mmCIF file of all heavy atoms in Angstrom:
data_model
loop_
_atom_site.group_PDB
_atom_site.id
_atom_site.type_symbol
_atom_site.label_atom_id
_atom_site.label_comp_id
_atom_site.label_asym_id
_atom_site.label_seq_id
_atom_site.Cartn_x
_atom_site.Cartn_y
_atom_site.Cartn_z
ATOM 1 N N ARG D 129 -119.284 112.576 16.977
ATOM 2 C CA ARG D 129 -118.692 111.580 16.070
ATOM 3 C C ARG D 129 -119.691 111.221 14.977
ATOM 4 O O ARG D 129 -120.860 110.932 15.265
ATOM 5 C CB ARG D 129 -118.327 110.303 16.850
ATOM 6 C CG ARG D 129 -117.307 110.473 17.957
ATOM 7 C CD ARG D 129 -115.891 110.716 17.442
ATOM 8 N NE ARG D 129 -115.442 109.701 16.519
ATOM 9 C CZ ARG D 129 -114.805 108.566 16.860
ATOM 10 N NH1 ARG D 129 -114.553 108.318 18.127
ATOM 11 N NH2 ARG D 129 -114.430 107.709 15.942
ATOM 12 N N GLN D 130 -119.232 111.245 13.739
ATOM 13 C CA GLN D 130 -120.081 110.844 12.619
ATOM 14 C C GLN D 130 -120.105 109.326 12.533
ATOM 15 O O GLN D 130 -119.111 108.657 12.798
ATOM 16 C CB GLN D 130 -119.567 111.419 11.307
ATOM 17 C CG GLN D 130 -120.500 111.124 10.153
ATOM 18 C CD GLN D 130 -120.083 111.810 8.859
ATOM 19 O OE1 GLN D 130 -119.117 112.544 8.824
ATOM 20 N NE2 GLN D 130 -120.825 111.556 7.804
ATOM 21 N N LEU D 131 -121.267 108.799 12.158
ATOM 22 C CA LEU D 131 -121.468 107.357 12.095
ATOM 23 C C LEU D 131 -121.663 106.901 10.660
ATOM 24 O O LEU D 131 -122.297 107.588 9.857
ATOM 25 C CB LEU D 131 -122.696 106.962 12.920
ATOM 26 C CG LEU D 131 -122.662 107.337 14.392
ATOM 27 C CD1 LEU D 131 -124.004 107.064 15.047
ATOM 28 C CD2 LEU D 131 -121.552 106.581 15.105
ATOM 29 N N GLU D 132 -121.146 105.734 10.378
ATOM 30 C CA GLU D 132 -121.374 105.061 9.100
ATOM 31 C C GLU D 132 -122.404 103.970 9.347
ATOM 32 O O GLU D 132 -122.207 103.107 10.207
ATOM 33 C CB GLU D 132 -120.067 104.435 8.610
ATOM 34 C CG GLU D 132 -120.227 103.593 7.379
ATOM 35 C CD GLU D 132 -118.950 102.853 7.006
ATOM 36 O OE1 GLU D 132 -118.025 102.724 7.834
ATOM 37 O OE2 GLU D 132 -118.899 102.386 5.856
ATOM 38 N N GLU D 133 -123.516 104.009 8.603
ATOM 39 C CA GLU D 133 -124.554 102.993 8.788
ATOM 40 C C GLU D 133 -124.098 101.691 8.151
ATOM 41 O O GLU D 133 -123.717 101.649 6.988
ATOM 42 C CB GLU D 133 -125.875 103.458 8.167
ATOM 43 C CG GLU D 133 -127.019 102.547 8.515
ATOM 44 C CD GLU D 133 -128.380 103.115 8.131
ATOM 45 O OE1 GLU D 133 -128.477 104.324 7.858
ATOM 46 O OE2 GLU D 133 -129.338 102.328 8.122
ATOM 47 N N ILE D 134 -124.149 100.611 8.935
ATOM 48 C CA ILE D 134 -123.712 99.295 8.479
ATOM 49 C C ILE D 134 -124.904 98.448 8.043
ATOM 50 O O ILE D 134 -124.864 97.783 7.015
ATOM 51 C CB ILE D 134 -122.938 98.553 9.597
ATOM 52 C CG1 ILE D 134 -121.759 99.399 10.089
ATOM 53 C CG2 ILE D 134 -122.484 97.185 9.132
ATOM 54 C CD1 ILE D 134 -120.753 99.764 9.027
ATOM 55 N N ASP D 135 -125.982 98.488 8.829
ATOM 56 C CA ASP D 135 -127.122 97.620 8.559
ATOM 57 C C ASP D 135 -128.367 98.187 9.223
ATOM 58 O O ASP D 135 -128.277 98.864 10.250
ATOM 59 C CB ASP D 135 -126.838 96.218 9.111
ATOM 60 C CG ASP D 135 -127.847 95.179 8.656
ATOM 61 O OD1 ASP D 135 -128.388 95.309 7.546
ATOM 62 O OD2 ASP D 135 -128.112 94.242 9.435
ATOM 63 N N THR D 136 -129.520 97.916 8.625
ATOM 64 C CA THR D 136 -130.810 98.266 9.221
ATOM 65 C C THR D 136 -131.735 97.073 9.085
ATOM 66 O O THR D 136 -131.873 96.527 7.998
ATOM 67 C CB THR D 136 -131.442 99.490 8.523
ATOM 68 O OG1 THR D 136 -130.568 100.603 8.680
ATOM 69 C CG2 THR D 136 -132.786 99.828 9.120
ATOM 70 N N MET D 137 -132.345 96.684 10.205
ATOM 71 C CA MET D 137 -133.322 95.604 10.194
ATOM 72 C C MET D 137 -134.629 96.149 10.742
ATOM 73 O O MET D 137 -134.628 96.850 11.755
ATOM 74 C CB MET D 137 -132.845 94.432 11.050
ATOM 75 C CG MET D 137 -131.590 93.772 10.524
ATOM 76 S SD MET D 137 -131.069 92.277 11.417
ATOM 77 C CE MET D 137 -131.300 92.690 13.115
ATOM 78 N N THR D 138 -135.733 95.846 10.057
ATOM 79 C CA THR D 138 -137.042 96.278 10.539
ATOM 80 C C THR D 138 -137.882 95.056 10.874
ATOM 81 O O THR D 138 -137.757 94.005 10.255
ATOM 82 C CB THR D 138 -137.776 97.134 9.490
ATOM 83 O OG1 THR D 138 -137.899 96.390 8.291
ATOM 84 C CG2 THR D 138 -137.027 98.420 9.219
ATOM 85 N N SER D 139 -138.738 95.240 11.886
ATOM 86 C CA SER D 139 -139.621 94.168 12.316
ATOM 87 C C SER D 139 -140.833 94.798 12.971
ATOM 88 O O SER D 139 -140.711 95.399 14.045
ATOM 89 C CB SER D 139 -138.894 93.251 13.300
ATOM 90 O OG SER D 139 -139.790 92.344 13.885
ATOM 91 N N GLY D 140 -141.982 94.701 12.339
ATOM 92 C CA GLY D 140 -143.202 95.273 12.909
ATOM 93 C C GLY D 140 -143.048 96.765 13.113
ATOM 94 O O GLY D 140 -142.786 97.508 12.189
ATOM 95 N N GLU D 141 -143.179 97.203 14.353
ATOM 96 C CA GLU D 141 -143.055 98.621 14.699
ATOM 97 C C GLU D 141 -141.648 98.973 15.179
ATOM 98 O O GLU D 141 -141.430 100.058 15.710
ATOM 99 C CB GLU D 141 -144.082 98.998 15.774
ATOM 100 C CG GLU D 141 -145.519 98.881 15.310
ATOM 101 C CD GLU D 141 -145.850 99.824 14.163
ATOM 102 O OE1 GLU D 141 -145.535 101.027 14.245
ATOM 103 O OE2 GLU D 141 -146.411 99.339 13.156
ATOM 104 N N GLY D 142 -140.690 98.062 14.978
ATOM 105 C CA GLY D 142 -139.339 98.302 15.454
ATOM 106 C C GLY D 142 -138.323 98.355 14.339
ATOM 107 O O GLY D 142 -138.558 97.905 13.211
ATOM 108 N N GLU D 143 -137.187 98.941 14.669
ATOM 109 C CA GLU D 143 -136.080 99.040 13.727
ATOM 110 C C GLU D 143 -134.786 98.981 14.511
ATOM 111 O O GLU D 143 -134.670 99.570 15.585
ATOM 112 C CB GLU D 143 -136.178 100.372 12.970
ATOM 113 C CG GLU D 143 -135.172 100.536 11.877
ATOM 114 C CD GLU D 143 -135.431 101.797 11.059
ATOM 115 O OE1 GLU D 143 -136.605 102.077 10.720
ATOM 116 O OE2 GLU D 143 -134.455 102.499 10.758
ATOM 117 N N LEU D 144 -133.802 98.252 14.000
ATOM 118 C CA LEU D 144 -132.480 98.171 14.609
ATOM 119 C C LEU D 144 -131.470 98.650 13.585
ATOM 120 O O LEU D 144 -131.325 98.051 12.521
ATOM 121 C CB LEU D 144 -132.145 96.744 15.063
ATOM 122 C CG LEU D 144 -130.747 96.551 15.640
ATOM 123 C CD1 LEU D 144 -130.565 97.359 16.921
ATOM 124 C CD2 LEU D 144 -130.476 95.078 15.896
ATOM 125 N N ARG D 145 -130.805 99.740 13.911
ATOM 126 C CA ARG D 145 -129.766 100.290 13.038
ATOM 127 C C ARG D 145 -128.399 100.021 13.655
ATOM 128 O O ARG D 145 -128.193 100.250 14.843
ATOM 129 C CB ARG D 145 -129.935 101.796 12.868
ATOM 130 C CG ARG D 145 -131.228 102.208 12.216
ATOM 131 C CD ARG D 145 -131.256 103.713 12.080
ATOM 132 N NE ARG D 145 -132.548 104.192 11.623
ATOM 133 C CZ ARG D 145 -132.865 105.473 11.540
ATOM 134 N NH1 ARG D 145 -131.992 106.396 11.891
ATOM 135 N NH2 ARG D 145 -134.058 105.830 11.113
ATOM 136 N N SER D 146 -127.486 99.542 12.831
ATOM 137 C CA SER D 146 -126.114 99.289 13.281
ATOM 138 C C SER D 146 -125.180 100.274 12.581
ATOM 139 O O SER D 146 -125.272 100.460 11.363
ATOM 140 C CB SER D 146 -125.688 97.865 12.951
ATOM 141 O OG SER D 146 -126.503 96.939 13.627
ATOM 142 N N TYR D 147 -124.300 100.873 13.367
ATOM 143 C CA TYR D 147 -123.358 101.865 12.863
ATOM 144 C C TYR D 147 -121.959 101.544 13.365
ATOM 145 O O TYR D 147 -121.772 100.789 14.305
ATOM 146 C CB TYR D 147 -123.699 103.263 13.387
ATOM 147 C CG TYR D 147 -125.045 103.801 13.000
ATOM 148 C CD1 TYR D 147 -126.152 103.613 13.820
ATOM 149 C CD2 TYR D 147 -125.208 104.545 11.841
ATOM 150 C CE1 TYR D 147 -127.385 104.150 13.496
ATOM 151 C CE2 TYR D 147 -126.442 105.084 11.504
ATOM 152 C CZ TYR D 147 -127.527 104.880 12.336
ATOM 153 O OH TYR D 147 -128.752 105.411 12.015
ATOM 154 N N ARG D 148 -120.995 102.227 12.759
ATOM 155 C CA ARG D 148 -119.619 102.248 13.262
ATOM 156 C C ARG D 148 -119.157 103.700 13.105
ATOM 157 O O ARG D 148 -119.557 104.380 12.163
ATOM 158 C CB ARG D 148 -118.785 101.245 12.498
ATOM 159 C CG ARG D 148 -117.462 101.675 12.008
ATOM 160 C CD ARG D 148 -116.667 100.592 11.285
ATOM 161 N NE ARG D 148 -117.109 100.455 9.906
ATOM 162 C CZ ARG D 148 -117.444 99.308 9.336
ATOM 163 N NH1 ARG D 148 -117.408 98.193 9.991
ATOM 164 N NH2 ARG D 148 -117.814 99.279 8.079
ATOM 165 N N THR D 149 -118.344 104.160 14.042
ATOM 166 C CA THR D 149 -117.846 105.529 13.956
ATOM 167 C C THR D 149 -116.795 105.633 12.864
ATOM 168 O O THR D 149 -116.069 104.682 12.590
ATOM 169 C CB THR D 149 -117.219 105.990 15.289
ATOM 170 O OG1 THR D 149 -116.183 105.078 15.658
ATOM 171 C CG2 THR D 149 -118.252 106.086 16.394
ATOM 172 N N TRP D 150 -116.736 106.787 12.251
ATOM 173 C CA TRP D 150 -115.656 107.094 11.306
ATOM 174 C C TRP D 150 -114.437 107.469 12.131
ATOM 175 O O TRP D 150 -114.555 108.120 13.159
ATOM 176 C CB TRP D 150 -116.027 108.267 10.407
ATOM 177 C CG TRP D 150 -117.057 107.953 9.381
ATOM 178 C CD1 TRP D 150 -118.389 108.209 9.459
ATOM 179 C CD2 TRP D 150 -116.845 107.313 8.126
ATOM 180 N NE1 TRP D 150 -119.029 107.776 8.327
ATOM 181 C CE2 TRP D 150 -118.105 107.217 7.486
ATOM 182 C CE3 TRP D 150 -115.727 106.807 7.472
ATOM 183 C CZ2 TRP D 150 -118.274 106.650 6.231
ATOM 184 C CZ3 TRP D 150 -115.898 106.241 6.225
ATOM 185 C CH2 TRP D 150 -117.140 106.164 5.618
ATOM 186 N N GLY D 151 -113.270 107.077 11.714
ATOM 187 C CA GLY D 151 -112.040 107.455 12.400
ATOM 188 C C GLY D 151 -111.783 106.632 13.638
ATOM 189 O O GLY D 151 -112.566 105.768 14.018
ATOM 190 N N GLU D 152 -110.651 106.936 14.244
ATOM 191 C CA GLU D 152 -110.219 106.227 15.453
ATOM 192 C C GLU D 152 -110.448 107.096 16.679
ATOM 193 O O GLU D 152 -110.368 108.315 16.578
ATOM 194 C CB GLU D 152 -108.746 105.850 15.338
ATOM 195 C CG GLU D 152 -108.446 104.856 14.222
ATOM 196 C CD GLU D 152 -109.099 103.507 14.428
ATOM 197 O OE1 GLU D 152 -109.253 103.091 15.593
ATOM 198 O OE2 GLU D 152 -109.469 102.880 13.434
ATOM 199 N N PRO D 153 -110.720 106.523 17.821
ATOM 200 C CA PRO D 153 -110.952 105.106 18.047
ATOM 201 C C PRO D 153 -112.333 104.697 17.517
ATOM 202 O O PRO D 153 -113.271 105.476 17.518
ATOM 203 C CB PRO D 153 -110.890 104.958 19.565
ATOM 204 C CG PRO D 153 -111.299 106.298 20.087
ATOM 205 C CD PRO D 153 -110.830 107.305 19.062
ATOM 206 N N SER D 154 -112.404 103.476 17.050
ATOM 207 C CA SER D 154 -113.612 102.961 16.423
ATOM 208 C C SER D 154 -114.577 102.396 17.467
ATOM 209 O O SER D 154 -114.175 101.658 18.360
ATOM 210 C CB SER D 154 -113.236 101.861 15.427
ATOM 211 O OG SER D 154 -114.387 101.363 14.799
ATOM 212 N N TYR D 155 -115.838 102.769 17.353
ATOM 213 C CA TYR D 155 -116.904 102.274 18.226
ATOM 214 C C TYR D 155 -118.016 101.671 17.381
ATOM 215 O O TYR D 155 -118.268 102.138 16.272
ATOM 216 C CB TYR D 155 -117.503 103.397 19.074
ATOM 217 C CG TYR D 155 -116.665 103.791 20.248
ATOM 218 C CD1 TYR D 155 -115.602 104.670 20.103
ATOM 219 C CD2 TYR D 155 -116.937 103.281 21.511
ATOM 220 C CE1 TYR D 155 -114.829 105.031 21.186
ATOM 221 C CE2 TYR D 155 -116.164 103.647 22.599
ATOM 222 C CZ TYR D 155 -115.105 104.524 22.428
ATOM 223 O OH TYR D 155 -114.347 104.870 23.505
ATOM 224 N N GLU D 156 -118.668 100.653 17.920
ATOM 225 C CA GLU D 156 -119.886 100.114 17.320
ATOM 226 C C GLU D 156 -121.065 100.735 18.041
ATOM 227 O O GLU D 156 -121.068 100.842 19.263
ATOM 228 C CB GLU D 156 -119.939 98.594 17.466
ATOM 229 C CG GLU D 156 -118.912 97.873 16.622
ATOM 230 C CD GLU D 156 -119.044 96.361 16.741
ATOM 231 O OE1 GLU D 156 -120.107 95.874 17.213
ATOM 232 O OE2 GLU D 156 -118.082 95.678 16.393
ATOM 233 N N VAL D 157 -122.078 101.150 17.269
ATOM 234 C CA VAL D 157 -123.258 101.800 17.828
ATOM 235 C C VAL D 157 -124.493 101.087 17.296
ATOM 236 O O VAL D 157 -124.609 100.863 16.094
ATOM 237 C CB VAL D 157 -123.302 103.298 17.440
ATOM 238 C CG1 VAL D 157 -124.559 103.958 17.979
ATOM 239 C CG2 VAL D 157 -122.048 104.017 17.924
ATOM 240 N N LYS D 158 -125.390 100.716 18.184
ATOM 241 C CA LYS D 158 -126.660 100.092 17.798
ATOM 242 C C LYS D 158 -127.795 100.948 18.333
ATOM 243 O O LYS D 158 -127.806 101.291 19.514
ATOM 244 C CB LYS D 158 -126.755 98.674 18.323
ATOM 245 C CG LYS D 158 -125.695 97.757 17.707
ATOM 246 C CD LYS D 158 -126.024 96.316 17.936
ATOM 247 C CE LYS D 158 -124.968 95.393 17.378
ATOM 248 N NZ LYS D 158 -124.773 95.465 15.966
ATOM 249 N N VAL D 159 -128.722 101.300 17.443
ATOM 250 C CA VAL D 159 -129.880 102.101 17.816
ATOM 251 C C VAL D 159 -131.116 101.238 17.601
ATOM 252 O O VAL D 159 -131.446 100.891 16.466
ATOM 253 C CB VAL D 159 -129.964 103.398 16.987
ATOM 254 C CG1 VAL D 159 -131.170 104.220 17.397
ATOM 255 C CG2 VAL D 159 -128.678 104.212 17.124
ATOM 256 N N SER D 160 -131.764 100.862 18.698
ATOM 257 C CA SER D 160 -132.970 100.042 18.658
ATOM 258 C C SER D 160 -134.160 100.968 18.863
ATOM 259 O O SER D 160 -134.316 101.559 19.935
ATOM 260 C CB SER D 160 -132.910 98.983 19.754
ATOM 261 O OG SER D 160 -134.083 98.213 19.764
ATOM 262 N N MET D 161 -134.993 101.103 17.824
ATOM 263 C CA MET D 161 -136.074 102.082 17.819
ATOM 264 C C MET D 161 -137.431 101.398 17.802
ATOM 265 O O MET D 161 -137.637 100.453 17.049
ATOM 266 C CB MET D 161 -135.960 102.964 16.562
ATOM 267 C CG MET D 161 -134.619 103.632 16.403
ATOM 268 S SD MET D 161 -134.305 104.296 14.734
ATOM 269 C CE MET D 161 -135.760 105.262 14.409
ATOM 270 N N ILE D 162 -138.360 101.915 18.617
ATOM 271 C CA ILE D 162 -139.744 101.438 18.619
ATOM 272 C C ILE D 162 -140.630 102.618 18.236
ATOM 273 O O ILE D 162 -140.599 103.675 18.891
ATOM 274 C CB ILE D 162 -140.148 100.878 19.989
ATOM 275 C CG1 ILE D 162 -139.241 99.714 20.368
ATOM 276 C CG2 ILE D 162 -141.616 100.463 19.982
ATOM 277 C CD1 ILE D 162 -139.370 99.262 21.801
ATOM 278 N N LYS D 163 -141.387 102.429 17.175
ATOM 279 C CA LYS D 163 -142.242 103.493 16.643
ATOM 280 C C LYS D 163 -143.396 103.767 17.581
ATOM 281 O O LYS D 163 -144.029 102.858 18.104
ATOM 282 C CB LYS D 163 -142.774 103.057 15.277
ATOM 283 C CG LYS D 163 -143.508 104.140 14.522
ATOM 284 C CD LYS D 163 -144.088 103.580 13.239
ATOM 285 C CE LYS D 163 -143.380 104.160 12.056
ATOM 286 N NZ LYS D 163 -143.989 103.702 10.796
ATOM 287 N N GLY D 164 -143.669 105.073 17.769
ATOM 288 C CA GLY D 164 -144.792 105.518 18.588
ATOM 289 C C GLY D 164 -145.832 106.198 17.722
ATOM 290 O O GLY D 164 -146.078 105.791 16.584
ATOM 291 N N GLU D 165 -146.414 107.243 18.257
ATOM 292 C CA GLU D 165 -147.464 107.975 17.551
ATOM 293 C C GLU D 165 -146.898 108.783 16.394
ATOM 294 O O GLU D 165 -145.797 109.315 16.480
ATOM 295 C CB GLU D 165 -148.178 108.923 18.521
ATOM 296 C CG GLU D 165 -148.976 108.208 19.592
ATOM 297 C CD GLU D 165 -149.728 109.181 20.478
ATOM 298 O OE1 GLU D 165 -149.975 110.326 20.049
ATOM 299 O OE2 GLU D 165 -150.057 108.790 21.603
ATOM 300 N N SER D 166 -147.682 108.873 15.316
ATOM 301 C CA SER D 166 -147.311 109.683 14.158
ATOM 302 C C SER D 166 -148.214 110.895 14.082
ATOM 303 O O SER D 166 -149.402 110.820 14.382
ATOM 304 C CB SER D 166 -147.443 108.882 12.865
ATOM 305 O OG SER D 166 -146.466 107.882 12.807
ATOM 306 N N GLY D 167 -147.630 112.003 13.687
ATOM 307 C CA GLY D 167 -148.388 113.234 13.496
ATOM 308 C C GLY D 167 -148.179 113.730 12.078
ATOM 309 O O GLY D 167 -147.644 113.018 11.225
ATOM 310 N N GLY D 168 -148.578 114.957 11.837
ATOM 311 C CA GLY D 168 -148.461 115.527 10.506
ATOM 312 C C GLY D 168 -147.031 115.770 10.062
ATOM 313 O O GLY D 168 -146.731 115.735 8.871
ATOM 314 N N GLU D 169 -146.116 116.011 11.022
ATOM 315 C CA GLU D 169 -144.741 116.338 10.667
ATOM 316 C C GLU D 169 -143.708 115.356 11.196
ATOM 317 O O GLU D 169 -142.557 115.402 10.776
ATOM 318 C CB GLU D 169 -144.392 117.737 11.174
ATOM 319 C CG GLU D 169 -145.203 118.835 10.519
ATOM 320 C CD GLU D 169 -144.783 120.213 11.000
ATOM 321 O OE1 GLU D 169 -143.814 120.314 11.773
ATOM 322 O OE2 GLU D 169 -145.429 121.185 10.599
ATOM 323 N N SER D 170 -144.080 114.501 12.149
ATOM 324 C CA SER D 170 -143.080 113.613 12.735
ATOM 325 C C SER D 170 -143.712 112.356 13.317
ATOM 326 O O SER D 170 -144.915 112.285 13.517
ATOM 327 C CB SER D 170 -142.299 114.344 13.833
ATOM 328 O OG SER D 170 -143.153 114.681 14.899
ATOM 329 N N THR D 171 -142.850 111.388 13.599
ATOM 330 C CA THR D 171 -143.225 110.150 14.280
ATOM 331 C C THR D 171 -142.356 110.036 15.526
ATOM 332 O O THR D 171 -141.140 110.248 15.453
ATOM 333 C CB THR D 171 -143.003 108.931 13.373
ATOM 334 O OG1 THR D 171 -143.800 109.076 12.206
ATOM 335 C CG2 THR D 171 -143.343 107.638 14.071
ATOM 336 N N SER D 172 -142.960 109.714 16.657
ATOM 337 C CA SER D 172 -142.187 109.577 17.894
ATOM 338 C C SER D 172 -141.560 108.187 17.979
ATOM 339 O O SER D 172 -142.081 107.219 17.424
ATOM 340 C CB SER D 172 -143.066 109.842 19.116
ATOM 341 O OG SER D 172 -144.045 108.846 19.250
#
Side-chain angles (χ1 to χ4, degrees):
R129 299 288 306 271
Q130 185 174 358
L131 301 172
E132 174 187 17
E133 189 169 345
I134 304 301
D135 191 31
T136 299
M137 296 185 318
T138 57
S139 171
E141 295 297 311
E143 186 173 317
L144 177 64
R145 298 181 188 174
S146 298
Y147 299 92
R148 134 178 81 231
T149 56
W150 288 98
E152 296 296 328
S154 181
Y155 282 82
E156 291 183 17
V157 178
K158 296 195 182 298
V159 180
S160 178
M161 305 164 51
I162 300 169
K163 188 184 248 184
E165 293 183 22
S166 291
E169 296 183 4
S170 65
T171 300
S172 67

